[in-house]
């Protein structure tokens, strides 16, 4: 799995867009970018994934640079419930043994 | 869809007792996983299953057993509980199609004293 680098922590005002960056400069052509988050004491939650194109779902948008060396997760209107640790993972989507390895992630604090 | 459900939410065991953590998913996923997460630490894979009747060990299987008799259920059995098994246990399942993203249950917080 390619190594990822994320800021340790970020603050965002409630109602504003939260933009969480992830650097994955060694990503290979068949590796996907996945984002998960873990709200305190809860199970990790899948957010979104992408390969090359930008993606959007009901939770967030994922912007991947053209060279695929970095990406940004966007929460368009952050709420207090979005306070969590966000993890960027880059890996080839094997079937079978697919342990999800979370790094240190970005602790996002949404401020009222 | 309820997604991945786990029972119980909390449990306190005495050393040497046994218990089964239940996990059920209603997404018809073939792949299921059991993780443990110690305080402030990342996830460690205990066991996983690629389909009914097929299970295999992960990183930390000692002290645990699993079975997978149906697609929906993947129970984790703790035999002879030890304080080192105090942890939060998460069950997960992943989609059958690429990119196999994983969906996690709410967790079972287990304390062994």
């Amino acid at each position: 799995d390619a190594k990822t680098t994320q800021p340790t922590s970020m603050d965002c005002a409630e109602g504003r867009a939260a933009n969480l960056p992830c650097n994955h400069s060694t990503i290979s052509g068949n590796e996907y970018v996945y984002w998960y988050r873990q709200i305190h004491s809860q199970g990790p939650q899948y957010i979104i994934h992408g390969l090359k194109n930008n993606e959007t779902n009901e939770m967030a948008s994922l912007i991947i640079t053209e060279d695929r060396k970095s990406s940004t997760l966007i929460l368009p209107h952050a709420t207090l419930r979005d306070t969590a640790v966000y993890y960027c993972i880059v890996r080839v989507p094997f079937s079978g043994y697919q342990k999800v390895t979370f790094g240190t992630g970005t602790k996002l604090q949404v401020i009222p | 869809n309820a997604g991945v459900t786990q029972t119980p939410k909390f449990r306190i065991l005495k050393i040497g007792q046994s218990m089964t953590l239940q996990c059920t998913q209603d997404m018809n996923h073939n792949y299921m996983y059991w993780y443990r997460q110690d305080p402030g630490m990342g996830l460690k894979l205990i066991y996983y299953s690629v389909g009914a009747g097929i299970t295999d060990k992960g990183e930390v299987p000692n002290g645990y057993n699993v079975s997978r008799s149906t697609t929906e259920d993947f129970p984790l059995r703790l035999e002879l509980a030890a304080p080192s098994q105090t942890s939060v246990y998460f069950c997960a399942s992943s989609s059958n199609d690429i990119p196999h993203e994983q969906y996690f249950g709410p967790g079972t917080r287990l304390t062994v004293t």
Side-chain angles (χ1 to χ4, degrees):
Chain A
D1 301 344
K3 180 178 167 54
T4 61
T5 304
Q6 298 177 252
T8 303
S9 63
M10 294 179 64
D11 291 338
C12 177
E14 188 177 18
R16 304 295 294 268
N19 296 282
L20 292 90
C22 180
N23 182 285
H24 32 80
S25 57
T26 60
I27 191 170
S28 60
N30 58 351
E31 289 185 304
Y32 281 68
V33 180
Y34 302 78
W35 283 84
Y36 290 81
R37 72 180 181 183
Q38 189 168 23
I39 297 169
H40 181 63
S41 298
Q42 296 184 23
Q45 181 184 22
Y46 162 77
I47 302 173
I48 199 167
H49 70 270
L51 181 60
K52 296 179 185 176
N53 301 323
N54 298 337
E55 302 288 345
T56 296
N57 63 22
E58 65 278 4
M59 288 184 67
S61 295
L62 175 61
I63 308 297
I64 302 174
T65 58
E66 196 168 337
D67 63 7
R68 302 208 322 125
K69 292 185 177 182
S70 65
S71 60
T72 301
L73 178 74
I74 301 171
L75 308 177
H77 305 286
T79 71
L80 298 179
R81 286 181 292 183
D82 292 322
T83 292
V85 180
Y86 287 78
Y87 299 97
C88 169
I89 298 165
V90 172
R91 64 175 298 140
V92 176
F94 295 115
S95 58
Y97 191 138
Q98 286 213 75
K99 175 181 179 295
V100 174
T101 301
F102 294 147
T104 52
T106 297
K107 186 168 186 175
L108 175 68
Q109 182 72 48
V110 179
I111 302 167
Chain B
N1 284 352
V4 179
T5 57
Q6 293 182 238
T7 56
K9 287 188 169 57
F10 303 94
R11 183 72 185 267
I12 298 174
L13 281 182
K14 294 188 185 305
I15 295 171
Q17 288 184 321
S18 300
M19 76 166 293
T20 299
L21 283 66
Q22 301 293 343
C23 174
T24 300
Q25 54 92 8
D26 63 358
M27 297 173 280
N28 200 34
H29 287 167
N30 290 332
Y31 311 119
M32 296 187 73
Y33 313 84
W34 273 106
Y35 295 88
R36 59 176 287 175
Q37 186 174 36
D38 298 331
M41 305 295 285
L43 299 173
K44 293 183 180 177
L45 184 66
I46 305 171
Y47 271 95
Y48 69 101
S49 170
V50 301
I54 307 169
T55 63
D56 209 344
K57 297 177 181 178
E59 302 170 271
V60 289
N62 291 343
Y64 307 94
N65 278 300
V66 293
S67 60
R68 183 98 182 269
S69 56
T70 66
T71 299
E72 295 78 22
D73 300 308
F74 190 39
L76 178 72
R77 177 85 178 156
L78 276 72
E79 305 283 2
L80 298 175
S84 61
Q85 293 178 306
T86 293
S87 190
V88 181
Y89 291 83
F90 293 109
C91 179
S93 69
S94 66
S95 64
N96 300 335
D97 300 318
I98 288 173
H100 303 301
E101 70 276 15
Q102 293 196 11
Y103 298 89
F104 288 79
T108 294
R109 189 173 296 274
L110 176 67
T111 302
V112 182
T113 61

